[in-house]
Amino acid sequence: AVGRTTINRDVLMFFTGQEPDHACCVRDITNRGAGLRLNGLNIVPSEFGISFDNFLTMRACRLIWRNGDFVGVAFES
């Protein structure tokens, strides 16, 4: 019900307690969440962070759905 903006922009994912960071692509975004392409990443925790600027800032995410290489996330406040 919320209008999505298509951006197709590369981001880095951060999983607590794991290294290294994982590259993925934000396909579309809203103020409440985003659709990500995982680029072959098989296991994704239910909570993780993404950064558009090499971790100068980070958005906390909660996994909502998954369909193969694509996931939907909600931004945590």
Side-chain angles (χ1 to χ4, degrees):
V2 177
R4 295 188 175 274
T5 302
T6 301
I7 63 172
N8 290 311
R9 186 164 166 198
D10 291 335
V11 296
L12 293 173
M13 298 173 76
F14 171 76
F15 306 147
T16 302
Q18 293 185 6
E19 301 244 356
D21 306 318
H22 302 279
C24 71
C25 178
V26 174
R27 293 179 36 158
D28 55 63
I29 194 166
T30 70
N31 289 337
R32 300 166 111 192
L36 310 177
R37 184 180 65 236
L38 298 176
N39 298 335
L41 187 61
N42 292 324
I43 298 173
V44 178
S46 61
E47 295 181 349
F48 56 90
I50 63 171
S51 177
F52 290 91
D53 57 10
N54 204 28
F55 295 107
L56 294 174
T57 60
M58 188 170 67
R59 294 293 305 258
C61 299
R62 181 173 35 90
L63 185 66
I64 301 297
W65 58 264
R66 180 167 189 173
N67 185 2
D69 206 33
F70 300 96
V71 297
V73 300
F75 295 135
E76 301 284 275
S77 40

